[in-house]
Amino acid sequence: MSTIAVRKSFLSTVWEYLTTVDHKKIAHLYLGAGGFFFLLGGLEALFIRIQLMKPQNNFVNEQLFNELMTMHGTTMIFLAAMPLLFAYMNAVVPLQIGARDVAFPFLNALGFWLFFWGGIFLNLSWFLGGAPDAGWTSYASLSLASEGHGIDFYTLGIQISGFGTLMSGINFLATIITMRAPGMSFMRMPLFTWTTFIASSLILMAFPPLTISVFYLIFDRLFNSAIFDVTLGGNTIIWEHFFWIFGHPEVYILILPAFGIFSEIIPTFSRKRLFGYSSMVFATILIGFLGFMVWAHHMFTTGLGNVANAIFAVATMAIAVPTGIKIFNWLLTMWGGSIKITVPMIWALGFIPSFVMGGVTGVMQGIAPLDYQLHDTYFIVAHFHYVIIGGVVFAIFAAAHFYWPKMFGKMLSEKLGYVTFAFFFVGFHMTFFVQHFLGLMGMPRRVATFLPGQGLDLYNFISSLGAILMTIGVIVLLVNIVITSMSKQQVANDPWGDGRTIEWALPSPPPYYNFKQLPLVRGQDTWWLEKMEGNKELPPAEPLQDIHMPKGSILPFFIALGLFIAGFGAMYNPLNQVGDGHPMGTVVLIFGLAMTFGTMLLRSLRDDLGYYIPKEELEDDDAKGGKVS
Amino acid sequence: MNLLEQKFTPETWPEHPETYTQEGKNKFIGFWLFLAGETVLFASLFATYLALKDSVPNSDHALAADIYSLELVFIMTAILLTSSLTSVYAIYHMRNYNFKQMQLWFFITVLLGLSFLALEIYEFTHYVYEYSFTFGSSAFSSAYYTLVGTHGAHVCFGLGWITALIIRNQKRGLNLYNAPKYYVASLYWHFIDLVWVFIFSVVYLMGMLG
């Protein structure tokens, strides 16, 4: 493998990304694909808000509205929020723990391509007979009755991308367990690494129930089984349980890394060590644990009985305790710090009150009797947008500005960053604050329109205007990205000047082998510690020696593509419920699976011993200023 | 210089070849994590099975106690448990750098796994033709076939995996590159075996006696 930097042609760049197993390049892929789906989901949200701008609007019809709101939720959760967080995890976590790559670079690439093909599969539904229309929760009682193949696109697409998520989860867990640099004990790990670790273990425990319930729905709709078919003894509540046993941890899978991102940003720009580090770690673990104990609070009105409701209500409220610990720790980190306002910091400052509002309404819904009033109203919509936008999306935007220089070597414009924040923050509160009141007035969610003269007109109009402001904010961010990408700047290792963790000790972007010599970690906030002692770089933990690197491979792309093809085969197999099956469907299904398993076999049979970067080449890089592309 | 392809003797062979290299360690940890996920997967299948057991559309449909035959299942259990033991022998020989013996015991494991699979296929066809107990005939049958079938699919995959390892490495013998591969394959096999013990207890014993 050559390290010579040459101007690469477009095609060779494409090939490089198709075959890459480098965590930094995979981070770019996640950022690009996740960003694309984020825009798609945002567009769907905008259409929803335009439809609800005035009473009895007919911008879209009821069917299309159902498809839009289903695809908005599904896309945002599975294809935008999680992949965007994976982008930062990939970009940052190996650097933060002082590793040259993740534990399984091949699997990392496979995880991305499974997510990618799953997402494409789901979105092809728009062109192939209609998108899924049973909500992102896709309750079996509803989704079994859905006509056409929309639900099948949902189940198969989610299944394929879910496999990818599971793999990435295992990969991060193994990476953090085995690949930490000498001295990087668990209790010295940066909070973003910690939250990635806990979120990954939630992925490991939460995705299998989803896999199973989605398989049941696939089998029921496409292969004639009867798990949810009440006439044959089935039970649709099983779906609800499994979906929420997955679904509730899923929201912590999203929010914990977001907490991690803010736990990096706040100390950095308060120029002060994170307050209560060990209680932060403890709170993260506790939230992860409690996250599995509360799923039935989504089902208070299902009729599980008062005892079950009471238990889940108490467990739900208990989560407010570790979350509160975190909020106070952030506040106390800033207290007495020398605060510098930057774009990431302003997002963090906006996050704290916004997220607390979402948390408070969450506890309100935990009160089971009150939930009978709130269930399926816009109050719920307001609540989860407050936590998911106010928490996760704010974190994604903050991290975009914070880590952009580390990922691409260029700073996003500060000015445009503030403009984005202003539009998005104001638009966000405009859109969702009034929805609390719409919900309390009884406006049901997931309904395509409302009647005039019920006191709903004004708030809906305000809400829709807010959505437009958010859109402007996102457009400004896109402009910012384009302008920045075209500029010729090149930032130094620690462009914020106050970086605390290991990634800021490396060039921006880091060389493909990350560390010439693995660093010796002498304490928490490793890089800050060295800077305070006047060191210009991290102390090495090993002599300069040849570096072992994994080889790139195109196989992950084809393993994932095989499942994508098999998905179409399953959908059009002769047994399917819609009745448009064809014997060729079975052939395509077998072909797709054969492609996946055949490629896996090929991977297994061919030795992949990687390659070595010779010591001399590393020294050579050093002479050239350590910059390698 | 490449540790992964270095030739060893029984004396120089490390005591735990599966975790000797960084790659091996990663595989070891990663695979245990994967098995944790698989445990949750099967737990979900078991939960559904228990919820839908004997849940059938009408009284003509077969129930658990009508169809299961403990004799057949006992033989299947004995075979699969034995195959777990033979894979232990194989790993024992791997630790001693006895490649031929290791291959042999893995080969025996595959044969036992195949006979288990054959009996399972017989069992399924028997249910379908004797009792019209098909994948779609009731919620109970769907839950049964999904649970036991998922286990069967795992057996199938494990057989393909171990066979591929045996054939691929026949000529070149043991090294630190393939030792972790054999090791995790045997872990996988033990896991399948463990799941079967639960299927035996929860599905068949409780089906007949519970």
Side-chain angles (χ1 to χ4, degrees):
Chain A
M1 290 283 156
S2 149
T3 57
I4 303 160
V6 281
R7 276 261 155 258
K8 294 190 188 87
S9 73
F10 176 69
L11 275 180
S12 77
T13 310
V14 170
W15 179 250
E16 200 179 319
Y17 274 98
L18 286 177
T19 59
T20 188
V21 294
D22 179 353
H23 69 99
K24 298 178 289 302
K25 290 224 166 69
I26 291 172
H28 295 172
L29 290 171
Y30 268 119
L31 194 67
F36 169 73
F37 287 123
F38 180 78
L39 296 180
L40 220 54
L43 202 61
E44 284 149 9
L46 193 62
F47 289 160
I48 293 173
R49 276 327 311 174
I50 293 175
Q51 164 67 12
L52 294 173
M53 204 163 202
K54 58 181 184 143
Q56 291 191 298
N57 199 358
N58 53 9
F59 177 69
V60 294
N61 63 28
E62 285 82 355
Q63 175 61 27
L64 189 54
F65 184 87
N66 288 348
E67 294 177 15
L68 282 171
M69 62 93 182
T70 301
M71 285 298 280
H72 165 68
T74 312
T75 305
M76 283 303 196
I77 297 284
F78 289 101
L79 307 178
M82 254 195 310
L84 285 170
L85 291 170
F86 275 144
Y88 303 127
M89 292 179 190
N90 265 303
V92 176
V93 168
L95 305 179
Q96 280 194 335
I97 60 171
R100 292 220 168 86
D101 207 323
V102 290
F104 308 109
F106 183 92
L107 214 57
N108 202 10
L110 179 57
F112 170 77
W113 289 113
L114 283 168
F115 141 68
F116 177 80
W117 284 118
I120 297 290
F121 189 90
L122 178 58
N123 276 285
L124 282 178
S125 61
W126 288 115
F127 309 105
L128 295 169
D133 54 1
W136 87 284
T137 55
S138 203
Y139 276 14
S141 38
L142 197 55
S143 54
L144 277 186
S146 171
E147 289 162 9
H149 278 300
I151 300 297
D152 304 323
F153 279 105
Y154 171 91
T155 52
L156 293 160
I158 293 295
Q159 198 71 310
I160 296 168
S161 76
F163 288 146
T165 308
L166 189 58
M167 282 176 198
S168 306
I170 292 176
N171 204 347
F172 280 114
L173 282 171
T175 305
I176 294 169
I177 293 171
T178 64
M179 306 280 282
R180 282 167 293 124
M184 179 57 87
S185 63
F186 268 95
M187 288 312 272
R188 282 178 181 174
M189 289 190 326
L191 242 282
F192 184 52
T193 300
W194 255 113
T195 52
T196 299
F197 186 68
I198 301 299
S200 299
S201 57
L202 295 189
I203 288 176
L204 180 63
M205 297 294 157
F207 267 74
L210 178 75
T211 307
I212 288 302
S213 54
V214 167
F215 262 135
Y216 286 145
L217 198 50
I218 291 174
F219 291 161
D220 268 19
R221 283 185 56 97
L222 298 176
F223 296 95
N224 267 334
S225 72
I227 299 283
F228 303 125
D229 186 343
V230 182
T231 57
L232 293 175
N235 185 343
T236 64
I237 304 299
I238 289 174
W239 168 274
E240 292 186 28
H241 278 295
F242 279 142
F243 188 84
W244 289 118
I245 287 173
F246 149 77
H248 201 82
E250 166 69 16
V251 300
Y252 295 112
I253 292 168
L254 296 176
I255 201 65
L256 288 178
F259 286 170
I261 287 166
F262 288 124
S263 302
E264 300 293 315
I265 290 171
I266 291 172
T268 301
F269 297 110
S270 304
R271 283 160 302 179
K272 182 162 164 266
R273 178 179 166 157
L274 183 70
F275 185 88
Y277 172 84
S278 41
S279 71
M280 281 299 230
V281 171
F282 169 75
T284 308
I285 296 170
L286 198 59
I287 291 173
F289 177 76
L290 287 175
F292 281 98
M293 306 290 153
V294 298
W295 80 86
H297 69 210
H298 298 269
M299 300 164 63
F300 280 152
T301 59
T302 301
L304 300 178
N306 290 338
V307 176
N309 280 5
I311 292 170
F312 281 99
V314 172
T316 301
M317 293 177 206
I319 293 190
V321 176
T323 314
I325 292 175
K326 281 180 171 279
I327 299 283
F328 283 108
N329 279 338
W330 287 317
L331 293 176
L332 290 168
T333 305
M334 287 187 274
W335 187 276
S338 149
I339 296 176
K340 182 165 131 193
I341 298 295
T342 58
V343 177
M345 189 61 177
I346 199 106
W347 282 107
L349 294 174
F351 151 78
I352 293 177
S354 309
F355 187 81
V356 167
M357 287 172 71
V360 169
T361 53
V363 176
M364 286 171 70
Q365 287 156 41
I367 304 165
L370 180 59
D371 188 65
Y372 273 73
Q373 169 69 24
L374 305 176
H375 191 86
D376 262 347
T377 68
Y378 263 84
F379 193 86
I380 306 291
V381 178
H383 157 71
F384 67 68
H385 282 92
Y386 259 86
V387 285
I388 289 187
I389 297 183
V392 183
V393 176
F394 279 21
I396 286 170
F397 285 178
H401 289 87
F402 191 53
Y403 289 123
W404 201 271
K406 192 46 67 185
M407 289 174 79
F408 299 100
K410 292 167 186 183
M411 284 290 243
L412 286 174
S413 151
E414 285 269 297
K415 268 189 204 129
L416 289 177
Y418 289 125
V419 174
T420 301
F421 174 79
F423 275 105
F424 199 88
F425 186 79
V426 173
F428 158 68
H429 282 282
M430 246 173 98
T431 307
F432 296 106
F433 189 71
V434 291
Q435 289 188 2
H436 290 111
F437 302 106
L438 286 173
L440 290 173
M441 288 188 277
M443 181 170 169
R445 63 190 280 211
R446 291 173 170 160
V447 175
T449 192
F450 56 96
L451 291 172
Q454 296 185 313
L456 306 175
D457 307 20
L458 177 66
Y459 285 169
N460 270 303
F461 186 69
I462 293 173
S463 185
S464 297
L465 284 188
I468 293 167
L469 291 187
M470 287 162 79
T471 311
I472 295 171
V474 173
I475 291 170
V476 173
L477 178 64
L478 289 179
V479 171
N480 193 352
I481 289 172
V482 171
I483 292 175
T484 307
S485 304
M486 292 197 308
S487 75
K488 286 217 169 73
Q489 50 168 320
Q490 172 59 52
V491 298
N493 293 6
D494 189 359
W496 297 106
D498 298 309
R500 307 181 74 81
T501 42
I502 296 181
E503 73 268 30
W504 303 110
L506 296 173
S508 310
Y512 64 102
Y513 47 80
N514 293 357
F515 298 92
K516 211 171 298 151
Q517 292 158 285
L518 290 182
L520 180 68
V521 177
R522 299 201 292 168
Q524 201 192 316
D525 287 334
T526 315
W527 175 229
W528 182 262
L529 205 77
E530 300 297 340
K531 274 196 292 193
M532 289 301 107
E533 293 188 4
N535 297 331
K536 292 272 179 282
E537 52 190 27
L538 297 169
E542 58 175 17
L544 191 61
Q545 57 194 12
D546 299 352
I547 296 177
H548 183 230
M549 295 292 289
K551 272 198 192 114
S553 172
I554 189 69
L555 297 184
F557 182 84
F558 282 105
I559 294 177
L561 179 62
L563 285 184
F564 174 80
I565 294 169
F568 282 105
M571 187 177 302
Y572 295 107
N573 90 83
L575 293 174
N576 83 40
Q577 170 185 304
V578 179
D580 59 356
H582 190 278
M584 273 308 285
T586 314
V587 177
V588 174
L589 174 62
I590 292 169
F591 172 79
L593 291 178
M595 183 164 165
T596 294
F597 287 107
T599 321
M600 278 165 71
L601 186 68
L602 191 66
R603 155 77 179 167
S604 185
L605 296 184
R606 281 177 47 195
D607 285 359
D608 177 17
L609 298 169
Y611 67 99
Y612 280 87
I613 312 172
K615 195 163 90 178
E616 297 70 38
E617 204 168 311
L618 293 170
E619 283 164 346
D620 208 33
D621 285 351
D622 218 15
K624 283 186 287 192
K627 282 197 35 63
V628 181
S629 69
Chain B
M1 78 158 241
N2 193 335
L3 188 64
L4 293 174
E5 284 178 314
Q6 194 179 323
K7 287 280 174 227
F8 285 90
T9 65
E11 285 70 40
T12 58
W13 185 240
E15 198 175 339
H16 288 284
E18 68 276 7
T19 51
Y20 192 78
T21 59
Q22 179 71 52
E23 286 78 6
K25 245 177 248 159
N26 291 348
K27 273 206 176 79
F28 180 81
I29 295 283
F31 203 78
W32 271 108
L33 292 167
F34 167 74
L35 289 184
E38 287 267 90
T39 307
V40 184
L41 190 110
F42 275 103
S44 309
L45 288 167
F46 275 109
T48 311
Y49 173 81
L50 286 176
L52 296 178
K53 190 190 160 209
D54 286 344
S55 187
V56 293
N58 53 52
S59 54
D60 296 336
H61 193 282
L63 298 178
D66 303 332
I67 56 172
Y68 298 155
S69 125
L70 277 186
E71 290 83 2
L72 178 71
V73 178
F74 176 75
I75 298 170
M76 288 165 73
T77 308
I79 290 175
L80 205 61
L81 285 180
T82 313
S83 81
S84 214
L85 181 68
T86 56
S87 75
V88 171
Y89 285 152
I91 292 302
Y92 170 80
H93 289 299
M94 183 190 90
R95 293 245 167 90
N96 289 339
Y97 202 65
N98 190 340
F99 179 67
K100 285 223 169 80
Q101 288 288 317
M102 180 190 80
Q103 291 280 84
L104 176 67
W105 283 108
F106 268 126
F107 182 66
I108 295 171
T109 305
V110 169
L111 288 185
L112 288 168
L114 273 177
S115 45
F116 170 86
L117 206 60
L119 286 178
E120 184 155 77
I121 291 168
Y122 164 76
E123 187 198 4
F124 283 6
T125 49
H126 181 71
Y127 292 161
V128 169
Y129 290 110
E130 286 297 307
Y131 303 102
S132 303
F133 186 76
T134 64
F135 188 48
S137 63
S138 67
F140 168 45
S141 67
S142 300
Y144 168 83
Y145 282 116
T146 320
L147 169 59
V148 183
T150 304
H151 175 265
H154 277 72
V155 172
C156 240
F157 186 83
L159 289 176
W161 184 3
I162 298 177
T163 311
L165 279 177
I166 292 176
I167 296 173
R168 171 66 182 93
N169 295 303
Q170 187 59 35
K171 286 218 177 97
R172 68 169 169 186
L174 259 179
N175 57 27
L176 287 176
Y177 180 69
N178 57 28
K181 290 181 174 225
Y182 277 111
Y183 187 83
V184 295
S186 86
L187 270 185
Y188 181 77
W189 196 255
H190 285 306
F191 175 76
I192 292 172
D193 202 43
L194 186 71
V195 171
W196 180 260
V197 171
F198 279 91
I199 291 181
F200 178 72
S201 324
V202 172
V203 175
Y204 294 105
L205 278 185
M206 280 170 64
M208 293 299 283
L209 313 169

